[in-house]
Amino acid sequence: MTGSGEHTDKPIDILLVEPNPGDTRLFTESFDEAKLTNTIHTVCDGETALEFLHRRGEYAGEPRPDLVLLEPQLPGKDGSDILSEMDDEPVLSDVPVVVLTSSDTGEEIVKSRGLEADHYVQKPVEPENFLEFVQEIEDFWLSIVQQSSPDGRDEPGQ
């Protein structure tokens, strides 16, 4: 493990599906403050998330996200609809999804509604806790990168 703050050189595209504009702002500011190499795309409802994931309409030129941060309670199509559609679509089924829960019991509640995701993270309540949250997301992403690399190291070059 490195503690030097060096991360993979390849920027990652993160799709944040969050209906609360205040939380969206805190998420994006926290990722910026953590100086992670990523691009955050934000949408506020399930229909728009699916448009982005399928790269339809105004999102046709957007990259497919490397990671989805999903608030399960959305207007219109909810988190279970999004996960179900992603699971049914081969090109989307490999995109890791982190479901954002609102409490310690949130993961059990989310799972009881049939939402199976790659990871569950409790959303921070206080603004100062958002950096800790970002670190947890980064650790999750790095574990995926290390699992997909045969020797757990980054490949040299671009």
Side-chain angles (χ1 to χ4, degrees):
M1 268 197 243
T2 65
S4 65
E6 291 296 313
H7 307 294
T8 62
D9 288 336
K10 180 187 179 294
I12 64 170
D13 286 290
I14 299 172
L15 176 61
L16 171 63
V17 186
E18 170 59 61
N20 181 324
D23 283 354
T24 298
R25 185 180 54 76
L26 286 169
F27 281 119
T28 55
E29 287 175 359
S30 298
F31 274 96
D32 288 345
E33 203 172 309
K35 298 186 180 11
L36 300 180
T37 309
N38 60 54
T39 303
I40 299 204
H41 308 272
T42 60
V43 297
C44 62
D45 61 56
E47 288 85 5
T48 309
L50 291 170
E51 289 294 301
F52 190 100
L53 288 165
H54 287 291
R55 299 162 65 191
R56 295 187 293 231
E58 68 180 277
Y59 302 105
E62 296 293 340
R64 182 135 2 254
D66 298 302
L67 179 66
V68 175
L69 303 179
L70 177 64
E71 162 59 53
Q73 297 177 354
L74 299 166
K77 290 183 184 274
D78 66 10
S80 61
D81 296 326
I82 293 169
L83 283 172
S84 175
E85 192 158 328
M86 287 180 73
D87 284 345
D88 291 344
E89 187 70 39
V91 72
L92 297 175
S93 63
D94 289 337
V95 176
V97 177
V98 175
V99 169
L100 307 173
T101 64
S102 56
S103 66
D104 288 333
T105 57
E107 183 176 337
E108 288 77 32
I109 293 167
V110 169
K111 284 182 176 178
S112 74
R113 293 176 45 212
L115 285 171
E116 286 298 324
D118 297 289
H119 194 58
Y120 299 84
V121 175
Q122 185 174 337
K123 279 172 50 171
V125 177
E126 300 298 324
E128 60 269 15
N129 296 336
F130 271 79
L131 277 178
E132 192 176 303
F133 166 83
V134 168
Q135 185 62 52
E136 187 171 349
I137 298 300
E138 181 185 25
D139 291 346
F140 171 70
W141 176 253
L142 290 175
S143 74
I144 291 172
V145 170
Q146 289 170 349
Q147 288 173 6
S148 63
S149 176
D151 60 4
R153 293 183 302 168
D154 294 334
E155 298 204 9
Q158 283 293 104

